[in-house]
């Protein structure tokens, strides 16, 4: 069966379950089971098929069972889990995607270490690296760093391609949280692998583990924010499935009362919608600002012009030089403000620097910037003070996300010395610009809210992965999901008070995301209590409709707003 047919078959099962046509869904799953030749799954399938037949017989006989709903949900959950596994097993035989290549390679391997062993090896290597940092043995340090890199790859690939956790995998995951054997870098990598594994196939134990990771206050802020971003996407991707898991709904009910969770989850929404403006920022950079600045630079004399010719072509412009043109200055100020608000200012700069072999390995997209990574050590081995300056800037800077820093690390060795020095100057200028007095208050606020910064940067990294990575076509685009789809309404209502949701809706309206704003206000309308806030709610909803040229809906909504506020200036 071709890959496209397998995916169509799987979507057919999900559609039947959504329509509560379980009898037909069972028949379809049974067909796939026969083709997959998975006898373990066949045994589980027979058990739930028998349970389903008994339940329907009791219903037809009019027997009342107070646990009927609970039994139905349990059958649906187990049927979905079997369908998930059948889907992946069938794709393993046909798909050329990396996920299935790795799974097939692991299935053929006879000496594959378990995850606990890999974690223990990583713990040992991190201790060796710590010792090497105290000694001047560069060769030994590089050797250990290469071993570390290999183990990280093993950890990521094994975690990513495991469909569901058995008791051993779950025990290892809990050990990672409770005993903290991993460095911050490897912990973030592991969280990324768990999240990517959930994107491939839902596993309730992995999702609950992400909740546990987010709630572990002893973990670094960077790791906790990566967990909450993963939770944000998983809840919306699997919104129709989540309702069958009371454990998730209970966990959310508890968390929504915690101010930190409400703040961080709201930040996920804001950063997600900020990503919608990334292409606009990129066009503004490429079509307006950069051409204008190049014209300005051509009027300026530089002593390097005659010597370098066109050597500067292709250098990523991290930040622009001093420009006297007030119109350009205003645009740069606007972009800087957008960056401080979470806008992805540097996507245009780095989107063409993701072709290095480093980025063909999926795990490298989830690595925080670490000076002990082999690629960074090779730059240090070049032995220039300028290299140390660059690394110090990259370690301390907050305005570049981690995989953009790795882009620079892989670009530097390929650059002539004069270009290398120019990049250093640009990085320093960027840091100075963001530390100017005009933005001092904003930066202080960002420092105080490190969680916001880490949340924003991780969202930028995921955006690059799903938009410009060499393997982007192997994944569904996370940034195309509809977080206000009807299936997500229960999730959204559970997570937000009306006040928080109103703030998000107003934010979307301010940013001119009319469609998304109208969806948020529609959700608010479902929660509307007919109080003094109702007039503003329906007025703004009507305006969002109007801007989408949905005039009938706008008129009806404005009329409803008039019932609450007769002297509204908008009407």
């Amino acid at each position: 069966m071709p890959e496209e047919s397998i995916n169509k078959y799987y979507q057919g099962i999900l559609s039947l379950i959504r329509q509560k046509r379980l009898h037909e869904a069972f028949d379809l799953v049974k067909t796939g089971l026969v083709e997959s030749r998975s006898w373990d799954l066949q045994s589980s399938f027979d058990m739930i098929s028998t349970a389903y037949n008994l339940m329907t017989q009791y219903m037809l006989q009019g027997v009342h069972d107070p646990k009927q709903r609970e039994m139905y949900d349990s059958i649906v959950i187990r049927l979905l889990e079997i369908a998930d596994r059948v889907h992946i097993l069938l794709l393993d035989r046909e798909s050329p995607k990396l996920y299935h290549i790795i799974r097939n390679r692991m299935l053929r391997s006879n000496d594959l270490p378990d995850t606990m062993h890999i974690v223990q090896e990583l713990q040992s290597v991190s201790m060796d690296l710590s010792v090497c940092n105290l000694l001047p043995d560069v060769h030994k340090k590089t050797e250990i760093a290469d071993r570390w890199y290999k183990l990280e790859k093993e950890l990521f690939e094994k975690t990513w391609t495991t469909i569901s956790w058995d008791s051993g995998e779950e025990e290892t995951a809990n050990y990672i949280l409770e005993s903290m054997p991993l460095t911050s870098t490897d912990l973030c990598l592991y969280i990324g692998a768990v999240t990517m594994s959930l994107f491939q196939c839902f596993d309730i134990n992995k999702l609950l583990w992400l909740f546990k990771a987010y709630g572990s206050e002893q973990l670094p802020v960077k790791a906790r924010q990566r967990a909450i971003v993963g939770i944000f996407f998983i809840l919306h991707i699997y919104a129709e499935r989540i309702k069958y898991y009371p454990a998730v709904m209970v966990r959310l009910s508890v968390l929504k009362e915690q101010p930190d969770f409400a703040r961080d989850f709201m930040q996920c929404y804001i950063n997600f919608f900020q990503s919608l403006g990334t292409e606009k920022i990129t066009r503004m950079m490429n079509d307006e600002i950069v051409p204008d600045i190049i014209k300005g630079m051509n009027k300026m004399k530089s002593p390097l012009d005659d010597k370098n010719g066109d050597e500067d072509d292709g250098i990523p412009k991290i930040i622009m030089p001093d420009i006297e043109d007030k119109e350009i200055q205003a645009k740069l100020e606007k972009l800087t403000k957008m960056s401080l608000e979470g806008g992805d200012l540097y996507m245009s700069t780095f989107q063409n620097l993701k072709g290095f072999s480093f980025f063909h390995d999926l795990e490298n997209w989830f690595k925080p910037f670490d000076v002990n990574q082999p690629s960074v050590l090779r730059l240090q081995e070049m032995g220039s003070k300028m290299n140390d300056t660059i690394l110090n800037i990259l370690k301390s800077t907050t305005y570049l996300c981690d995989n953009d820093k790795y882009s620079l690390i892989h670009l530097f060795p390929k650059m002539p010395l004069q270009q290398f020095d120019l990049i250093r100057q640009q990085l320093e200028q960027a840091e100075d610009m963001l530390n100017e007095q005009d933005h001092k208050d904003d930066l202080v606020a960002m420092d105080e809210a490190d969680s916001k910064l880490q949340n924003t940067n991780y969202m930028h990294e995921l955006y690059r992965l799903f938009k410009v990575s060499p393997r982007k076509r192997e994944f569904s685009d996370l940034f195309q999901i509809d977080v206000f789809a009807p299936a997500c309404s229960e999730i959204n209502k559970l997570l937000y008070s009306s006040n928080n949701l109103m703030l998000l809706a107003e934010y979307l309206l301010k940013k001119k995301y009319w469609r998304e704003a109208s969806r948020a206000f529609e959700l608010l309308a479902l929660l509307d209590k007919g109080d003094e806030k109702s007039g503003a709610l329906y007025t703004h909803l009507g305006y969002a409709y109007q801007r989408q040229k949905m005039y009938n809906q706008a008129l009806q909504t404005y009329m409803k707003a008039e019932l609450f506020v007769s002297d509204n200036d908008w009407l």
Side-chain angles (χ1 to χ4, degrees):
M1 191 187 303
E3 182 176 357
E4 185 178 348
S5 299
I6 293 171
N7 290 329
K8 187 176 180 180
Y9 154 81
Y10 176 65
Q11 291 301 321
I13 294 173
L14 298 184
S15 177
L16 289 171
I17 293 176
R18 277 196 299 269
Q19 298 172 55
K20 303 187 185 302
R21 295 160 59 185
L22 286 199
H23 184 77
E24 295 166 80
F26 269 100
D27 290 342
L28 205 53
V29 172
K30 187 175 182 178
T31 302
L33 268 173
V34 172
E35 189 165 344
S36 71
R37 301 170 191 166
S38 175
W39 311 123
D40 291 341
L41 289 181
Q42 183 67 55
S43 175
S44 298
F45 176 82
D46 290 342
M47 290 177 61
I48 63 168
S49 180
T50 300
Y52 175 69
N53 289 332
L54 288 173
M55 185 184 74
T56 53
Q57 287 177 21
Y58 290 149
M59 289 176 63
L60 291 173
Q61 293 170 8
V63 176
H64 175 69
D65 185 352
K67 293 189 175 182
Q68 180 179 308
R69 182 68 200 184
E70 184 180 334
M71 182 180 293
Y72 177 86
D73 289 350
S74 176
I75 289 171
V76 169
I77 287 171
R78 293 170 68 186
L79 184 61
L80 283 167
E81 289 171 349
I82 292 173
D84 290 341
R85 294 180 68 90
V86 169
H87 178 225
I88 289 178
L89 290 174
L90 292 175
L91 286 175
D92 283 345
R93 292 157 52 179
E94 301 292 339
S95 177
K97 293 178 179 177
L98 180 65
Y99 178 82
H100 300 285
I101 291 172
I102 294 173
R103 277 183 50 79
N104 287 324
R105 187 186 72 216
M106 289 185 172
L107 288 171
R108 292 193 297 267
S109 177
N110 295 321
D111 58 347
L112 191 67
D114 60 30
T115 307
M116 180 65 83
H117 177 75
I118 299 173
V119 168
Q120 291 169 343
E121 284 289 300
L122 280 167
Q123 187 177 16
S124 175
V125 167
S126 68
M127 293 175 65
D128 291 343
L129 272 174
S130 298
V131 172
C132 280
N133 284 330
L134 302 175
L135 303 172
D137 190 344
V138 177
H139 177 74
K140 181 69 174 176
K141 187 175 181 179
T142 302
E143 182 182 305
I144 295 173
D146 288 337
R147 183 177 163 219
W148 180 35
Y149 186 91
K150 180 182 177 183
L151 286 167
E152 286 180 320
K153 187 177 186 66
E154 289 181 5
L155 177 67
F156 184 92
E157 290 183 348
K158 192 168 193 310
T159 305
W160 176 36
T161 56
T162 299
I163 298 177
S164 59
W165 280 347
D166 57 22
S167 58
E169 292 288 346
E170 191 170 357
E171 181 183 346
T172 300
N174 289 328
Y175 169 74
I176 288 172
L177 290 185
E178 293 161 8
S179 301
M180 297 187 67
L182 298 178
T183 63
S184 175
T185 297
D186 292 339
L187 177 60
C188 289
L189 182 76
Y190 185 74
I191 290 172
V194 172
T195 304
M196 287 298 291
S197 181
L198 279 162
F199 291 160
Q200 296 285 161
C201 180
F202 184 79
D203 179 4
I204 182 61
N205 292 322
K206 294 174 188 172
L207 177 57
L208 293 176
W209 184 86
L210 284 180
F211 276 115
K212 189 174 181 180
Y214 171 75
S216 300
E217 295 184 358
Q218 73 271 23
L219 297 190
V221 173
K222 185 186 286 278
R224 296 183 65 207
Q225 288 305 309
R226 289 181 176 224
I228 193 69
V229 170
I231 291 168
F232 167 81
F233 280 111
I234 297 304
L235 289 179
H236 288 93
I237 291 171
Y238 295 105
E240 293 181 334
R241 186 179 297 207
I242 294 297
K243 62 187 178 183
Y244 295 112
Y245 294 92
V248 176
M249 305 308 286
V250 169
R251 187 70 61 92
L252 289 173
S253 297
V254 172
L255 284 173
K256 75 170 186 175
E257 304 300 330
Q258 299 178 9
D260 287 353
F261 178 80
R263 177 203 66 204
D264 292 340
F265 212 83
M266 178 66 80
Q267 190 62 47
C268 290
Y269 273 87
I270 290 173
N271 287 333
F272 177 81
F273 288 116
Q274 278 278 11
S275 72
L276 300 179
T278 299
E279 291 184 8
K280 179 181 178 181
I281 294 174
T282 300
R283 285 195 301 270
M284 186 176 176
M285 287 286 291
N286 293 337
D287 299 341
E288 299 178 33
I289 294 180
V290 173
D292 287 347
I293 289 176
I294 290 175
K295 290 177 185 177
M297 290 175 67
N298 288 336
K299 298 176 183 178
M300 296 160 46
K301 271 290 182 180
S302 168
L304 297 178
D305 287 346
D306 296 333
K307 297 178 182 179
N308 294 342
D310 294 330
E311 282 187 0
D312 287 351
D313 289 348
I315 298 178
K317 300 298 186 291
I318 309 303
I319 200 70
M320 304 306 170
D322 293 335
I323 297 294
E324 295 182 359
D325 189 300
K326 291 184 179 180
E327 184 177 344
I328 298 177
Q329 284 181 346
K331 290 180 180 179
L332 288 173
E333 286 291 322
K334 180 180 178 182
L335 284 172
T336 303
K337 184 177 180 182
M338 292 171 71
S339 177
L340 291 169
E341 291 176 349
D344 197 347
L345 180 60
Y346 297 103
M347 177 68 174
S348 62
T349 298
F350 289 97
Q351 62 182 351
N352 296 320
L353 295 177
K354 305 300 180 185
F356 297 108
S357 58
F358 177 85
F359 292 110
H360 285 261
D361 293 332
L362 188 65
E363 68 273 9
N364 290 330
W365 289 85
F366 295 91
K367 287 181 180 177
F369 184 74
D370 194 311
V371 294
N372 290 317
Q373 285 292 315
S375 55
V376 183
L377 287 178
R378 281 192 286 273
L379 186 65
Q380 289 176 307
E381 289 172 10
M382 293 171 63
S384 167
K385 288 185 178 180
M386 194 178 296
N387 295 349
D388 293 337
T389 303
I390 287 281
L391 290 177
N392 288 334
I393 294 172
L394 290 179
K395 278 194 297 183
S396 62
T397 189
T398 57
Y399 66 89
L400 292 179
C401 64
D402 290 314
N403 66 51
D404 284 352
K405 295 178 183 180
Y406 282 118
S407 291
L408 289 176
I409 289 296
H410 286 81
L411 177 68
F412 289 153
K414 304 178 185 299
M415 296 172 60
L417 183 59
Q418 290 169 330
Q419 291 182 351
F420 189 77
D421 186 44
L422 180 59
I423 288 289
R424 179 186 60 78
Q425 293 176 31
Q426 291 176 344
L427 284 167
E428 289 175 342
Q429 289 175 17
E431 199 73 23
D432 290 343
M433 183 174 178
L434 288 173
N435 281 286
E436 286 177 358
Q437 188 64 36
D438 289 346
H439 303 295
K440 188 174 181 181
D441 292 340
D442 295 315
L443 285 169
V444 169
M446 288 182 73
D447 288 338
E448 291 175 352
D450 189 44
S451 58
K452 173 184 175 182
L453 181 64
Q454 298 298 342
N455 191 303
T456 300
N457 281 345
Y458 186 51
M459 195 72 78
H460 289 177
E461 289 169 6
L462 289 177
Y463 188 86
R464 283 152 175 69
L465 171 62
F466 287 94
K467 294 293 186 179
V468 299
S469 75
R471 299 193 181 278
K472 64 180 181 181
R473 289 183 176 83
E474 298 190 13
F475 310 108
S476 299
D477 188 352
L478 284 186
F479 293 88
Q480 294 296 321
I481 64 173
D482 184 358
V483 298
F484 288 129
C488 300
S489 61
E490 291 303 314
I491 294 293
N492 293 329
K493 281 192 290 187
L494 181 63
L495 291 171
Y496 289 107
S497 66
S498 295
N499 184 51
N500 283 338
L501 189 56
M502 176 63 84
L503 291 174
L504 179 62
E506 296 286 1
Y507 168 83
L508 294 170
L509 196 69
K510 178 183 176 182
K511 292 294 182 180
K512 301 181 181 180
Y513 299 144
W514 310 121
R515 178 175 175 272
E516 291 75 17
S518 64
R519 302 292 285 276
F521 282 118
E522 286 169 354
L523 185 56
L524 278 165
L526 295 176
L527 306 173
D528 181 44
K529 299 177 181 178
D531 55 21
E532 66 277 2
K533 297 179 180 178
S534 300
L537 163 62
Y538 290 112
T539 299
H540 292 168
L541 175 57
Y543 184 67
Y545 284 146
Q546 180 182 333
R547 294 305 300 260
Q548 297 175 79
K549 299 183 178 179
M550 302 167 65
Y551 298 122
N552 287 337
Q553 293 96 319
L555 181 59
Q556 293 174 13
T557 309
Y558 282 144
M559 291 172 65
K560 189 174 291 187
E562 276 192 311
L563 297 175
F564 298 97
V565 184
S566 57
D567 59 345
N568 195 327
D569 293 336
W570 287 59
L571 305 176

